[in-house]
C-alpha cells in the first residue's frame, strides 16, 4: 500500500550505537523487526509488522485480552453493558487518559467519546471527510462486516458511547480488541483537516499508547519515545528503536552482537545456537495461527475443483513441517487452529498421495500438467518460518505430478498489495489471531465478503460455507457455534481453496538481560520491557 512517509534522515550510527554503548544505556531498547509498516494507522494496515509498529506501541483499544483465557477485559473502556437482545452495547470510557503530542499538534483535552465516534465513522461512513484519506480501504473493518453490522453509533455524553447493531453478533465485543479498532484523536483529525494536511493523521500518528513516534526512516528504522503521561503508568524504557531487518539470519547476528535486544521470528534451524548462548534467551508462545497456500480460484486452472484437490494430495505436509518447523509446528488441516472453539479434530485431511493427484489432474484435463506461479512470502512468521524453503518443497512435490511452479516473491508491501488485487495464481500466506474467536479465521480469510478487500486470498465464495459461518457469528451459545464451524470445515475440505500447511508456535529471542517484554494475543507488549 502506498502512503506518505514523513522521514527525518539521520545517520544510522547516531541511533544505533555499538553493542557496548547500548549495553551501558539502559534507557534504549532496540527491536529487530521483519518489515516496514504499511502505515502508522492500523485502520488501514493488515500485516503483523505494521500492527507491531503502530497499534501495539502507539495506540490503545476499547478492550484488551486476558492472557489466561483470551477473553475481553477493559482497556480504554472501563466497563460495558449489553442489552438482553444482544443488539445494544454501551461502553463507559476510562477517565484521565491523555493523547500524545507531536510537532504539529498538542491536545487540549483528554480522551473522550468523540474519539471513539471519529475512529468508527472514518471507517464506516463513505461521506466522512477522512474516509478516503490515504486511499484507505479499511480492510479489517469491512472484512468482518462492521459496516453493515453497526446500525448506529452515538455519543451519550463524554464518557459513554452506544452501539446499536443490526443483528446480534457473538464476536462484536472481541472485535474491539483488534488492532484496527485502535482509537485515534478526533481533535487531531479536526486540526489537520483545517490545516489542509489530513494525511498527517496516518503518517504522524497521535495515540494514547505507551510510546509516541519521533522518527521513521523508510526500510531502515523507527524511533519512539516513551509517553510521559501513559495512563497505565511509567514506561521503563524511555527510547524504543525498531531496526527493520527482513533477513532472519541478519536479525540473529544483530542480536548476538547486541545491536538489538529483541528479535522476532528466529529461524528454527538456529534454536540450538540461541539456547547455547548464555547471553540470549529463546521464548515460545502457543500460537493461534495457520500457514497455508491459497489457490486463486478466480484464475484458471484453480477454478477447477479437481485441480485444487489434486494439488492438496501432491503436497507432503509432514515433510514440510519436519524440514522447516523443526518441532516448532504441527500439520494443519483446517482454517481454524486446533486450540480454538469449533476446530474439528475428526476432520479428514488430504494424505500425501501423488498417484491420486495425477489421476485427478488427468480427470480435470491436465494429464500433461501445467505451469503456474507460486508466490513466496519475503518475511518469516510463526506460521511460516522459511517461506522460500516451503515453496521449494511444494515446487518439488508438484513437479512429481507434472505441474511446473515458478517461485516468485516481492517486497512485503508489494506482496500484500498484489494478493489483495488477485495478481497471484497461488500464494503462501498465513494468519495470526486478532481476537481469539474462530470467526477471525473462518470468515475473515474465507468469507464471501472478504473477497473485495483481498484478505480472502483464495478469492473463494461458497454459499454453503458462507451461510454456516454467518449463522455461527449470530449465536452466543458456544456449543451451537462449534457445531456450525465443524460443518463449515467439511465444506472447506471438500472444496479445497487452500492447502493448509501448518500451525506454528510463536518464537522470539532476546538478550538475557531483557525483562518485561511479552507476546500474546494482544501482540507485542513493549510497555514493561527493560534492560536489567
Amino acid at each position: 500500500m502506498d502512503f506518505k512517509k514523513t522521514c527525518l534522515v539521520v545517520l544510522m550510527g547516531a541511533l544505533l550505537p555499538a553493542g557496548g554503548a547500548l549495553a551501558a544505556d539502559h534507557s534504549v531498547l532496540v527491536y529487530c523487526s521483519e518489515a516496514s509498516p504499511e502505515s502508522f494507522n492500523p485502520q488501514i494496515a493488515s500485516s503483523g509488522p505494521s500492527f507491531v509498529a503502530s497499534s501495539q506501541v502507539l495506540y490503545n483499544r476499547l478492550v484488551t485480552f486476558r492472557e489466561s483465557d483470551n477473553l475481553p477485559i477493559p482497556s480504554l473502556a472501563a466497563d460495558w453493558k449489553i442489552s438482553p437482545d444482544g443488539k445494544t452495547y454501551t461502553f463507559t470510557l476510562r477517565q484521565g487518559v491523555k493523547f500524545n503530542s507531536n510537532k504539529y499538534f498538542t491536545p487540549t483535552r483528554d480522551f473522550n467519546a468523540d474519539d471513539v465516534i471519529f475512529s468508527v465513522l472514518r471507517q464506516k461512513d463513505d461521506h466522512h471527510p477522512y474516509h478516503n484519506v490515504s486511499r484507505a480501504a479499511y480492510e479489517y473493518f469491512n472484512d468482518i462486516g462492521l459496516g453493515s453490522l453497526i446500525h448506529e453509533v452515538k455519543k451519550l455524553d463524554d464518557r459513554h458511547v452506544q452501539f446499536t447493531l443490526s443483528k446480534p453478533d457473538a464476536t462484536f465485543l472481541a472485535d474491539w480488541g483488534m488492532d484496527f479498532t485502535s482509537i485515534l484523536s478526533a481533535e487531531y483529525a479536526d486540526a489537520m483537516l483545517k490545516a489542509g494536511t489530513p494525511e498527517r493523521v496516518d503518517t504522524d500518528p497521535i495515540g494514547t499508547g505507551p510510546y509516541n513516534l519521533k522518527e521513521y526512516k523508510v526500510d531502515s528504522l523507527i524511533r519512539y519515545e516513551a509517553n510521559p503521561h501513559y495512563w497505565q503508568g511509567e514506561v521503563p524504557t524511555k527510547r524504543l528503536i525498531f531496526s527493520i531487518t527482513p533477513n532472519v539470519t541478519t536479525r540473529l547476528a544483530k542480536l548476538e552482537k547486541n545491536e538489538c535486544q529483541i528479535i522476532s521470528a528466529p529461524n528454527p534451524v538456529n534454536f540450538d545456537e540461541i539456547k547455547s548462548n548464555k547471553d540470549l534467551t529463546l521464548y515460545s508462545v502457543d500460537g493461534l495461527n495457520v500457514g497455508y497456500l491459497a489457490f486463486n480460484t478466480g484464475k484458471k486452472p484453480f477454478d477447477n475443483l479437481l485441480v485444487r484437490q489434486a494439488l492438496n494430495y501432491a503436497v507432503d505436509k509432514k515433510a514440510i513441517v519436519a524440514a522447516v518447523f523443526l518441532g516448532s509446528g504441527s500439520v494443519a488441516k483446517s482454517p481454524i487452529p486446533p486450540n480454538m472453539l469449533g476446530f474439528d479434530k475428526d476432520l479428514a485431511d488430504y494424505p500425501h498421495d501423488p498417484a491420486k493427484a495425477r489421476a485427478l489432474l488427468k480427470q480435470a484435463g491436465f494429464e500433461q500438467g501445467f505451469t503456474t506461479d507460486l508466490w513466496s512470502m519475503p518475511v518469516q512468521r510463526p506460521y511460516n518460518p522459511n517461506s522460500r524453503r516451503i515453496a521449494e518443497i511444494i515446487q518439488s512435490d508438484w513437479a512429481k505430478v507434472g505441474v511446473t511452479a515458478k517461485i516468485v516473491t516481492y517486497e512485503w508491501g508489494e506482496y500484500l498489495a498484489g494478493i489483495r488485487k488477485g495478481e497471484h495464481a497461488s500464494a503462501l500466506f498465513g494468519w495470526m489471531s486478532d481476537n481469539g474467536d474462530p470467526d477471525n479465521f473462518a470468515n475473515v480469510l474465507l468469507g464471501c465478503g472478504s473477497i473485495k478487500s483481498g484478505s480472502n486470498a483464495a478469492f473463494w465464495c461458497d454459499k454453503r460455507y458462507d451461510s454456516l459461518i454467518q449463522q455461527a457469528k449470530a449465536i452466543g451459545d458456544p456449543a451451537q457455534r462449534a457445531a456450525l464451524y465443524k460443518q463449515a470445515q467439511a465444506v472447506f475440505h471438500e472444496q479445497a481453496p487452500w492447502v493448509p500447511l501448518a500451525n506454528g508456535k510463536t518464537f522470539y529471542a532476546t538478550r538475557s538481560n531483557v525483562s518485561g517484554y511479552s507476546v500474546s494475543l494482544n501482540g507485542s507488549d513493549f510497555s514493561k520491557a527493560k534492560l536489567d
Side-chain angles (χ1 to χ4, degrees):
M1 182 182 296
D2 292 327
F3 66 100
K4 286 190 175 182
K5 302 180 179 80
T6 301
C7 307
L8 298 175
V9 178
V10 296
L11 290 175
M12 190 71 174
L15 286 179
L16 297 178
L22 275 175
D25 187 354
H26 285 196
S27 70
V28 181
L29 184 68
V30 182
Y31 169 74
C32 279
S33 63
E34 310 105 298
S36 296
E38 303 160 86
S39 172
F40 285 106
N41 179 355
Q43 296 175 334
I44 58 179
S46 63
S47 68
S50 298
F51 292 145
V52 175
S54 61
S55 50
Q56 294 166 25
V57 291
L58 300 171
Y59 297 99
N60 298 114
R61 289 150 290 289
L62 292 179
V63 305
T64 187
F65 298 103
R66 187 166 52 202
E67 290 190 25
S68 61
D69 55 15
N70 294 327
L71 290 178
I73 57 174
S75 183
L76 289 181
D79 196 7
W80 53 82
K81 293 180 180 179
I82 307 172
S83 65
D85 66 0
K87 293 174 64 175
T88 302
Y89 288 69
T90 304
F91 291 93
T92 300
L93 305 182
R94 192 175 300 277
Q95 290 182 294
V97 176
K98 301 185 182 303
F99 280 97
N100 281 305
S101 60
N102 61 22
K103 65 180 180 180
Y104 306 105
F105 172 77
T106 299
T108 65
R109 62 164 176 80
D110 290 349
F111 156 73
N112 68 26
D114 292 329
D115 305 306
V116 178
I117 299 297
F118 167 75
S119 300
V120 175
L121 291 185
R122 172 176 177 173
Q123 300 180 81
K124 174 178 170 58
D125 184 0
D126 292 350
H127 302 291
H128 193 279
Y130 267 85
H131 187 74
N132 294 316
V133 171
S134 301
R135 297 179 298 204
Y138 310 110
E139 179 179 330
Y140 266 82
F141 187 89
N142 292 316
D143 283 350
I144 63 177
L146 286 183
S148 57
L149 179 63
I150 298 172
H151 173 69
E152 182 183 35
V153 57
K154 63 182 179 181
K155 172 183 176 180
L156 302 182
D157 56 43
D158 279 353
R159 288 199 63 208
H160 294 89
V161 173
Q162 187 174 87
F163 291 84
T164 303
L165 309 186
S166 59
K167 58 184 178 181
D169 189 301
T171 69
F172 184 73
L173 184 60
D175 288 343
W176 292 99
M178 293 172 66
D179 294 271
F180 79 94
T181 64
S182 295
I183 303 302
L184 281 62
S185 167
E187 186 185 20
Y188 180 43
D190 287 343
M192 293 303 97
L193 193 63
K194 290 174 183 176
T197 56
E199 68 279 356
R200 288 203 189 282
V201 169
D202 302 332
T203 60
D204 299 272
I206 293 285
T208 60
Y211 289 91
N212 45 10
L213 179 68
K214 301 303 291 185
E215 198 162 18
Y216 175 37
K217 187 174 182 181
V218 183
D219 296 334
S220 178
L221 61 89
I222 312 170
R223 185 166 65 89
Y224 305 90
E225 287 189 0
N227 175 1
H229 309 293
Y230 188 42
W231 62 275
Q232 294 197 65
E234 182 180 1
V235 178
T237 298
K238 302 309 177 187
R239 289 184 290 160
L240 175 65
I241 295 170
F242 279 28
S243 176
I244 300 167
T245 312
N247 185 277
V248 65
T249 302
T250 305
R251 284 202 299 276
L252 178 57
K254 287 185 175 182
L255 183 71
E256 291 172 332
K257 291 185 287 187
N258 202 23
E259 292 177 8
C260 58
Q261 290 76 54
I262 304 171
I263 64 170
S264 61
N267 194 324
V269 301
N270 299 124
F271 285 176
D272 288 342
E273 177 185 349
I274 295 170
K275 291 176 183 178
S276 66
N277 188 329
K278 64 180 179 58
D279 294 322
L280 307 181
T281 303
L282 180 69
Y283 295 88
S284 69
V285 179
D286 288 334
L288 293 172
N289 62 54
V290 61
Y292 58 91
L293 176 79
F295 300 118
N296 187 340
T297 62
K299 285 186 173 182
K300 293 183 180 300
F302 298 121
D303 59 341
N304 189 314
L305 172 60
L306 297 176
V307 170
R308 300 197 302 269
Q309 291 176 335
L311 295 190
N312 264 273
Y313 282 114
V315 175
D316 188 348
K317 296 193 290 189
K318 290 182 180 179
I320 288 174
V321 170
V324 178
F325 286 81
L326 302 177
S328 68
S330 57
V331 170
K333 60 181 180 179
S334 165
I336 297 176
N339 47 349
M340 182 171 276
L341 174 74
F343 173 74
D344 186 358
K345 63 181 177 58
D346 298 320
L347 181 71
D349 197 4
Y350 287 88
H352 181 224
D353 190 340
K356 179 70 171 177
R358 285 190 291 269
L360 287 172
L361 286 172
K362 180 178 180 180
Q363 187 180 343
F366 293 97
E367 185 174 7
Q368 303 305 315
F370 58 87
T371 299
T372 188
D373 286 345
L374 196 171
W375 285 29
S376 172
M377 295 165 52
V379 298
Q380 292 76 37
R381 307 295 288 153
Y383 51 73
N384 190 327
N386 189 334
S387 184
R388 180 74 191 191
R389 183 69 184 118
I390 291 176
E392 289 171 348
I393 295 172
I394 293 173
Q395 181 187 51
S396 175
D397 286 343
W398 285 359
K400 294 171 185 174
V401 299
V403 174
T404 300
K406 177 185 177 185
I407 299 172
V408 295
T409 194
Y410 302 93
E411 179 272 329
W412 186 226
E414 189 177 356
Y415 191 91
L416 294 171
I419 285 179
R420 293 186 194 110
K421 295 174 185 175
E423 295 173 353
H424 60 294
S426 64
L428 289 169
F429 214 37
W431 199 256
M432 299 177 67
S433 179
D434 296 293
N435 64 6
D437 193 277
D439 180 77
N440 192 229
F441 290 81
N443 186 26
V444 170
L445 302 183
L446 290 161
C448 294
S450 299
I451 291 176
K452 183 178 180 180
S453 67
S455 67
N456 183 339
F459 286 75
W460 177 68
C461 177
D462 184 286
K463 297 300 183 183
R464 295 172 299 159
Y465 176 91
D466 205 62
S467 175
L468 290 164
I469 62 172
Q470 298 309 325
Q471 289 178 61
K473 280 190 69 171
I475 295 173
D477 180 75
Q480 293 182 49
R481 295 188 75 204
L484 289 165
Y485 285 122
K486 287 180 180 180
Q487 292 178 53
Q489 287 165 86
V491 177
F492 167 87
H493 171 77
E494 170 200 303
Q495 291 296 309
W498 294 356
V499 180
L501 294 171
N503 307 112
K505 288 187 176 182
T506 297
F507 286 86
Y508 62 95
T510 74
R511 300 288 299 182
S512 295
N513 63 335
V514 172
S515 65
Y517 173 76
S518 64
V519 176
S520 67
L521 184 59
N522 298 308
S524 295
D525 185 1
F526 296 91
S527 67
K528 302 177 184 66
K530 61 180 180 178
L531 295 173
D532 297 325

